[in-house]
């Protein structure tokens, strides 16, 4: 990791972890999906994915893409992997139960969130340089 961007990339990942956890809580609370198999019965979400897998994937994407085009392409690929490979795998393993949700909704949600988050961080960086 570039030392000059370490705080920025880590903040980007922390934002993703918070957002993924919050959206996962909302999705389970509103009955969009559930997790029949839990590592801990007190936690209703898939916390390892929310706090590690998803944020790290998008942190790497944020760090190693320099243009919007490469970031969007990487986001589409990442969203496809998460939505059409990992989600079906979790379904087959009995770790996930989709109720009022689909892989396609996840796919577009990941892309939207990636673009929105990068936009937010670019806006923050721009404002930071004006001070």
């Amino acid at each position: 990791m570039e030392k000059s961007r370490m705080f920025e990339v880590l903040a980007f990942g922390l934002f993703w972890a918070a957002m993924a956890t919050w959206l996962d809580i909302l999705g389970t609370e509103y009955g969009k999906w559930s997790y029949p198999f839990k590592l801990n019965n007190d936690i209703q979400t898939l916390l390892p994915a929310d706090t590690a897998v998803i944020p790290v994937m998008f942190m790497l994407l944020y760090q190693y893409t320099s243009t919007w085009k490469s970031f969007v392409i990487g986001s589409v690929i990442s969203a496809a992997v998460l939505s059409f490979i990992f989600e079906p795998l979790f379904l087959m393993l009995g770790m996930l139960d989709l109720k009022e949700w689909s892989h396609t909704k996840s796919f577009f949600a990941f892309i939207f969130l990636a673009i929105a988050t990068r936009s937010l961080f670019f806006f923050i960086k721009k404002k930071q340089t004006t001070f």
Side-chain angles (χ1 to χ4, degrees):
M1 180 181 297
E2 296 174 39
K3 287 184 180 182
S4 63
R5 292 186 64 208
M6 185 182 296
F7 180 79
E8 176 186 347
V9 173
L10 291 174
F12 187 84
L14 179 61
F15 186 82
W16 259 102
M19 186 172 49
T21 302
W22 180 69
L23 290 171
D24 206 1
I25 290 169
L26 285 178
T28 55
E29 286 296 314
Y30 287 106
K32 303 297 181 189
W33 58 81
S34 67
Y35 299 100
F37 174 80
K38 297 176 182 65
L39 297 174
N40 180 334
N41 284 331
D42 296 329
I43 300 173
Q44 299 302 313
T45 65
L46 191 58
L47 214 49
D50 295 339
T51 59
V53 176
I54 295 168
V56 168
M57 182 179 277
F58 284 100
M59 283 170 66
L60 290 169
L61 185 62
Y62 184 73
Q63 181 179 356
Y64 291 114
T65 57
S66 57
T67 65
W68 272 104
K69 182 179 179 179
S70 61
F71 182 82
V72 170
I73 291 169
S75 296
V76 169
I77 293 167
S78 297
V81 168
L82 291 169
S83 302
F84 300 119
I85 296 174
F86 282 108
E87 281 185 7
L89 179 64
F90 289 164
L91 283 170
M92 287 183 349
L93 295 173
M95 296 173 63
L96 174 65
D97 181 23
L98 296 180
K99 298 174 187 295
E100 296 178 18
W101 198 254
S102 69
H103 303 306
T104 305
K105 288 178 184 177
S106 290
F107 175 72
F108 286 112
F110 279 123
I111 295 169
F112 171 79
L113 292 170
I115 292 169
T117 303
R118 188 172 198 245
S119 298
L120 174 66
F121 271 73
F122 273 40
F123 175 77
I124 291 169
K125 278 177 53 174
K126 184 178 178 183
K127 289 296 179 186
Q128 180 184 6
T129 59
T130 61
F131 287 111

